[in-house]
Amino acid sequence: MKAGSSRIIEWLGFWALRACMGFVALILVIVFYDIITKGIGIISWQFLTQPPLDGMTKGGIFPALIGTLFVTIIAGLLAVPLGMGCAIHLNEYARDNGLTRFIRMSIRNLSGVPSIVYGLFGVALFVEAAHFGTSILAAGCTLGLMTLPVTITASEEALKTVPRAYREGALALGATKWQSIWGNVLPYAVPGMLTGAILGISRAAGETAPILFTGAAFFLPDIPNSVFSQFMALPYHLYIMSTQHHNIVLVRPIAYGTALVLIVLVFTLNLAAVIMRYNLRKKGIAHGQ
Amino acid sequence: MDNKIRMKAENVDFFYGRQQALKGIHLDIASNAVTAIIGPSGCGKSTFIRLLNRMHELVPNAVLTGRILLDGKDIIAPDVDAVDLRRRVGMVFQKPNPFPKSIFENVAYGLQINGMKDKGKIEERVIESLKKAALWDEVKHRLHDSALGMSGGQQQRLCIARCLAIEPEVILFDEPCASLDPISTHKVEALILELKKDYTIVIVTHNMQQAARVSDYTGFFYMGEMVEFGRTEVMFTRPRDKRTEDYITGRFG
């Protein structure tokens, strides 16, 4: 009797879990299906290489593509070294006391701050205080800041996977702390650190709110000529095409095309991270060997 | 003691935070001899050996009082650089920990960080160290293969070679055979006996037979104290303390 009821519970539990997974997968499939089927038709070489034309009803998304690439690169240039440095200090040098625990907690909490708040902060710090103006630089830095918590956390995790024995082995040979970190910790942690950073940056590449006030422009057919130029960006362009345009129905395919390009861009970045992690595992470092 | 005293612990107390791990340790380590430290798990023997090259400083909240002398000079003194000390007092760990580099690079690493640039000289020293560690014949055809592809016993001898390359004066072995099979253990023990001609050696082991086989002097640690110290053959045949006798006859531990 008891065995029978526990078997039913087992069966119910299994199918409930399977249903959860199926539901999530289904939503994903629907989203992709929708975007791909509605967006693929407009994708062409012209779409990728032309600016928007005729009151943004024709033409392509070239300036937005370039703008997104530039801000993403700047975000990476800011977040990767800063995040790695911070993680190295926290994991290798800082003593485990109340202060470092507080700092760690703050960093984790920062990743929960809404992106629009980062946008406002970017205006105050980069646009105004640092006199970057509304520009690629200001927007890129804002995105970089937003990426920092993810980069730091992932980098610390990567450092933790490097066995203590590597550090001790080097120190016992008379290496200084920095020699031990540089020669026997970083080479094995950097791929993991970069993987985390790329995932963070790919998330930032799709953000609208942080660039809204810090440099993204409604319509700028010319390619930006310096980091102090304003720029168009894919997520912001998508937002405009789907809510702000004077003829939303007419430009719907452009909006879907933009969404598709953005998704492909983000996926490419994520794929790079996955490949990196795979190579790392193959070398066996990730398992602490 | 017949040999000159190389290192000396004087009234050493050691704490992890508030917990006392070592109590009033006095110990003399003779030059060109093997000094074994034995005792049951948690007796403080590994803690003690890590003080001798200041590896304990890697642990937060470690507090050490007393003096540890190397050639009469207190190595715990603030003007002594731990990095310099570790070049003189090398260490081989419980689990072989070669770097995930080639066999050659593992041995060359210590030379490079100590500023040796001449490639010919580095190569010469690597070969010499591998020979001293009785590993040369097994690896001479694959110096540039990864060290991780070696057997555990070979890895441990590589770690010994790595340590020998920087020409330390004292070598600390922290349970060097704990993860090795009997044949590898025998090779490492033979090597230790060979090395004591040129080096001062301290070995921590929980294997009493090993202590009896390789050491000249033995210290028995129990609950953070050194219960007894003496010439190995005396200690194993006529222990003075009841606890030592119980331990070496296998009544506990």
Side-chain angles (χ1 to χ4, degrees), chain A residues 62-85:
Chain A
F62 186 57
L65 189 58
I66 293 298
T68 288
L69 280 179
F70 282 172
V71 284
T72 308
I73 289 169
I74 288 176
L77 288 179
L78 180 80
V80 172
L82 210 58
M84 282 186 180

Side-chain angles (χ1 to χ4, degrees), chain A residues 93-114:
Chain A
Y93 287 95
R95 284 181 170 272
D96 187 29
N97 55 27
L99 181 66
T100 53
R101 276 196 292 274
F102 176 73
I103 290 174
R104 241 186 222 115
M105 194 183 74
S106 308
I107 290 169
R108 301 243 149 94
N109 283 338
L110 271 182
S111 59
V113 171

